[in-house]
Amino acid sequence: MTPPPCLTCRDVKIVPGLYKIFDEILVNAADNKIRDPTMDNIKVNIDSENGTISIYNNGRGIPIEIHEVNLLPSDN
């Protein structure tokens, strides 16, 4: 099977924990579609030069509240 021209097949080494974090963030971005039907865009940028991964969606985002005691954001 020949991959499409936009894909490159190669062997890579991954850190399982980093993969899981990336997977969880990407799934959360996609799950936002359930909460916000107007969301129609997910962008993933992997910048190996700066060592960053960015995931963006154009949905409303996840509502947060400030915890009364700890004064930290809470997703309750």
Side-chain angles (χ1 to χ4, degrees), residues 43-56:
K43 295 179 185 177
V44 178
N45 182 45
I46 300 173
D47 184 341
S48 58
E49 188 173 305
N50 291 311
T52 61
I53 299 173
S54 302
I55 301 175
Y56 163 85

Side-chain angles (χ1 to χ4, degrees), residues 65-74:
E65 297 176 5
I66 301 298
H67 190 276
E68 295 175 11
V69 176
N70 298 323
L71 303 177
L72 298 172
S74 168

Side-chain angles (χ1 to χ4, degrees), residues 14-28 55:
I14 64 166
V15 176
L18 178 61
Y19 171 80
K20 181 59 184 161
I21 291 169
F22 174 77
D23 176 65
E24 186 66 26
I25 293 169
L26 189 56
V27 167
N28 286 347
I55 301 175

